[in-house]
Amino acid sequence: MSRPTARAVHLVSRPDGAPTAANFAFVDEAVPALAAGEALVENLYQSVDPYMRELMDEDGWELHAPLEGRTLGRVVESRAGALPVGALVFHRQAWRTHSVVTAGRASLLPDFAGVPLSAHLSVLGGTGLSAWVALTRIARLQPGETVFVSAAAGGVGTAAGQLARLLGAGRIVGSTGSAAKAARLTERLGFDAAFDYHDGPIADRLREAAPEGLHVYLDNVGGDHLEAAIGALRDRGRIAWCGAVAQYNHLQDPPPAPRNLYDVVGKSLRLEGFLVRDHQDARPELYDFLVPHLRSGAVVPDETVVDGFDRVVDAFLGMLRGANTGKMLVRIAH
């Protein structure tokens, strides 16, 4: 019996500045016969994320080799008892239509009736978990506090806004890249105020949106956003640093560090960076807290879904340009 053919994307060159489609190539690959303990997964959804931009540089992804990323799929052939045919699984062998996995590199998805499958890559996935860890473990958000979220219309940002509301935040402020996205944040996603960071100095926009100052800042940008947030934070405020979109395409000429960094001392602020991979034990907490709200409709996953594996590179590049609202996903198969 002939083996199926899989399509994959390889990185074939490293970008100088913003990446382009020319940095990638689509490759057809024969799926090998399974060894004992392996399963063949037909991939259904793939996540494309900002952190992948860093992996395109030296010491990241290998050239001319399969890439990684968060993926959901269905087992279509198995020689692994823990991964039966028909099971829905999560794994990280992304950027391909089919993946060969082992039980140690794939996990069965929990069966949450009434919750869409794609949510396991958005509000219940790495982006939602990042927002949960940032707010509950790093910043320790308290009821009634004011929180500012940068890149608020992205996957982590939209999850953070909804979670902060459920956690009792008193005021939620977001920054984003367009007036339309700012309106979406306030009209649909529970933010009290939002602004387009192109409209003027971020420090001025923050003073208007949070005149009494901030207690918590969830940083997905760095650079001028971090400087403005340090200026707006109240004494003993907390910064949970998750990402640095401002410098991903500028590694040789990064934005300057905040000029007011010593205010971290003067205000007794706490700034802590984190990697969500170090907090996988928080996932059951997120499930217990959020699944009832998803079932009730109080939380709706905010996702931009691009159809077709042939558009995965376009989806990734579009995400880096801010073409998405919420989590950017690629639906590979139905």
Side-chain angles (χ1 to χ4, degrees):
M1 182 177 69
S2 63
R3 303 294 298 161
T5 298
R7 292 201 83 202
V9 173
H10 290 188
L11 185 68
V12 295
S13 62
R14 303 200 186 277
D16 180 12
T20 70
N23 297 126
F24 299 91
F26 285 85
V27 178
D28 291 328
E29 302 174 335
V31 175
L34 297 181
E38 293 181 335
L40 176 62
V41 175
E42 180 187 21
N43 295 324
L44 304 176
Y45 283 94
Q46 174 185 331
S47 171
V48 289
D49 298 284
Y51 79 87
M52 293 175 171
R53 171 61 188 86
E54 294 183 283
L55 294 178
M56 296 181 71
D57 295 314
E58 295 292 341
D59 301 321
W61 285 330
E62 295 181 18
L63 295 179
H64 307 288
L67 309 180
E68 69 84 39
R70 302 180 180 107
T71 311
L72 306 178
R74 186 185 303 277
V75 177
V76 293
E77 182 183 348
S78 180
R79 294 190 63 193
L83 300 173
V85 171
L88 293 170
V89 298
F90 168 88
H91 65 88
R92 299 194 65 94
Q93 296 183 50
W95 298 83
R96 63 202 93 178
T97 57
H98 297 74
S99 302
V100 175
V101 302
T102 62
R105 301 186 67 183
S107 56
L108 298 177
L109 290 178
D111 183 11
F112 295 138
V115 174
L117 178 64
S118 59
H120 289 282
L121 288 179
S122 60
V123 292
L124 294 180
T127 49
L129 187 61
S130 294
W132 174 259
V133 168
L135 294 174
T136 64
R137 291 192 169 187
I138 308 301
R140 300 172 192 169
L141 178 67
Q142 300 300 307
E145 291 188 325
T146 297
V147 57
F148 171 45
V149 182
S150 56
V156 173
T158 55
Q162 295 187 82
L163 284 169
R165 177 62 65 213
L166 294 170
L167 291 165
R171 186 166 180 79
I172 306 168
V173 178
S175 70
T176 186
S178 72
K181 288 184 177 181
R184 180 182 176 87
L185 291 174
T186 56
E187 293 169 5
R188 297 188 56 182
L189 293 167
F191 284 75
D192 297 290
F195 58 86
D196 177 355
Y197 62 82
H198 298 104
D199 284 348
I202 297 168
D204 294 345
R205 303 285 77 79
L206 271 180
R207 277 192 291 269
E208 296 167 1
E212 297 184 3
L214 308 172
H215 298 91
V216 166
Y217 172 42
L218 199 174
D219 190 7
N220 295 301
V221 175
D224 54 358
H225 278 72
L226 179 56
E227 179 174 306
I230 289 172
L233 278 159
R234 297 163 59 128
D235 287 356
R236 293 178 176 77
R238 290 91 69 203
I239 301 168
W241 199 346
C242 182
V245 173
Q247 70 182 58
Y248 286 157
N249 291 327
H250 306 281
L251 295 183
Q252 304 306 316
D253 184 26
R259 294 167 294 181
N260 57 350
L261 195 58
Y262 192 67
D263 285 354
V264 171
V265 176
K267 292 183 175 183
S268 299
L269 305 180
R270 181 164 57 82
L271 187 160
E272 183 176 348
F274 71 97
L275 296 172
V276 71
R277 69 187 183 205
D278 296 329
H279 295 272
Q280 292 301 312
D281 63 308
R283 192 174 295 277
E285 301 170 12
L286 177 65
Y287 289 164
D288 290 345
F289 181 84
L290 198 53
V291 167
H293 294 294
L294 286 166
R295 286 176 171 153
S296 73
V299 171
V300 177
D302 195 44
E303 301 168 351
T304 297
V305 180
V306 172
D307 272 304
F309 183 74
D310 59 340
R311 297 181 64 196
V312 65
V313 172
D314 293 337
F316 172 65
L317 298 177
M319 178 273 303
L320 292 178
R321 295 191 303 268
N324 56 301
T325 57
K327 185 76 191 76
M328 179 70 97
L329 300 174
V330 180
R331 183 160 41 212
I332 300 171
H334 289 273

